[in-house]
Amino acid sequence: AAGVIQSPRHLIKEKRETATLKCYPIPRHDTVYWYQQGPGQDPQFLISFYEKMQSDKGSIPDRFSAQQFSDYHSELNMSSLELGDSALYFCASSSGLAGSTYNEQFFGPGTRLTVL
Amino acid sequence: DQQVKQNSPSLSVQEGRISILNCDYTNSMFDYFLWYKKYPAEGPTFLISISSIKDKNEDGRFTVFLNKSAKHLSLHIVPSQPGDSAVYFCAAFTSGTYKYIFGTGTRLKVLA
């Protein structure tokens, strides 16, 4: 079965550079979530999109932005990278209105970002 | 403010015995609770869930218990197997929101 695809799997950047992480949800899933997991920490919710509109916002820095495109894939853009941005970035997808019914989130494999 | 807490960062259990992972929460609005299992450098994978209207859900070797009055849930794995060694996260969800709240994780090590 198709799963959530994230690219790239690994990314190394220098401080003050920019990075773009991509997420391709499971087919027919219309909701995408982004999480950041630092070393030894639990996943922190960043932002989510439903039907190409931002649906919720968590602890996402102002230096980061994200969007969901017409094909439902999503991109997380990170600018002015800092050392503390080094983390695993997970994307998850689900289907349907999360507000009306329980929807399990399916996670991608993650993108490991290292900022030097 | 940590709404979902897993107070044991690690747990070691002998193969064949029961593993019990605990999770406490503070928000009484949570509707659903889930357990995810995570191997290093991989995304979390769903294990089992429970609705707030139930107190027990069972799936094979995995059973989740929910005590709403205590705001506590636990995951029981019986019998534990070495392949169960991973980090286990509990997560909570409220209808009407678009995010899960994760606990801090418990690293389970099953000893052969």
Side-chain angles (χ1 to χ4, degrees), chain A residues 9 31 33 35 37 42-43 45 48 50 55-56 88 90 97-99 102-105 107-109, chain B residues 2 32 34 36 38 41-44 46 49 89 93-100 102-105:
Chain A
R9 292 295 309 277
T31 310
Y33 315 76
Y35 293 86
Q37 185 179 25
D42 53 317
F45 171 73
S48 63
Y50 167 67
S55 52
D56 203 351
L88 261 176
F90 290 106
L97 268 173
Y102 159 58
N103 282 302
E104 177 195 332
Q105 291 184 8
F107 282 80
Chain B
Q2 190 75 28
Y32 297 98
L34 308 95
Y36 282 86
K38 184 179 178 303
E42 293 184 12
F46 172 76
S49 66
F89 290 95
F93 172 87
T94 305
S95 293
T97 70
Y98 286 85
K99 59 179 181 279
Y100 287 17
F102 280 82
T104 48

Side-chain angles (χ1 to χ4, degrees), chain A:
Chain A
V4 177
I5 297 171
Q6 289 187 248
S7 69
R9 292 295 309 277
H10 302 273
L11 189 59
I12 299 175
K13 290 284 185 178
E14 304 235 337
K15 282 194 305 184
R16 292 179 288 279
E17 284 191 322
T18 61
T20 297
L21 279 55
K22 296 184 180 181
C23 171
Y24 297 86
I26 290 172
R28 291 180 294 281
H29 279 192
D30 47 25
T31 310
V32 169
Y33 315 76
W34 285 97
Y35 293 86
Q36 177 193 58
Q37 185 179 25
Q41 298 178 5
D42 53 317
Q44 294 292 318
F45 171 73
L46 292 178
I47 196 167
S48 63
F49 292 88
Y50 167 67
E51 281 292 345
K52 293 151 278 184
M53 299 287 290
Q54 181 181 308
S55 52
D56 203 351
K57 195 172 180 179
S59 52
I60 183 169
D62 292 340
R63 299 177 289 108
F64 294 6
S65 65
Q67 57 182 325
Q68 186 180 29
F69 295 86
S70 57
D71 63 351
Y72 296 104
H73 93 272
S74 178
E75 295 184 5
L76 177 66
N77 298 295
M78 309 157 74
S79 63
S80 303
L81 286 170
E82 301 174 356
L83 295 177
D85 296 330
S86 295
L88 261 176
Y89 290 83
F90 290 106
C91 167
S93 74
S94 67
S95 65
L97 268 173
S100 61
T101 185
Y102 159 58
N103 282 302
E104 177 195 332
Q105 291 184 8
F106 294 83
F107 282 80
T111 294
R112 180 172 292 283
L113 173 66
T114 302
V115 181
L116 303 175

Side-chain angles (χ1 to χ4, degrees), chain B residues 33-45:
Chain B
F33 302 89
L34 308 95
W35 284 92
Y36 282 86
K37 173 179 170 179
K38 184 179 178 303
Y39 293 113
E42 293 184 12
T45 55

Side-chain angles (χ1 to χ4, degrees), chain B residues 18-29:
Chain B
I18 183 171
S19 295
I20 300 177
L21 298 104
N22 295 303
C23 181
D24 297 292
Y25 62 97
T26 58
N27 189 346
S28 57
M29 297 299 292

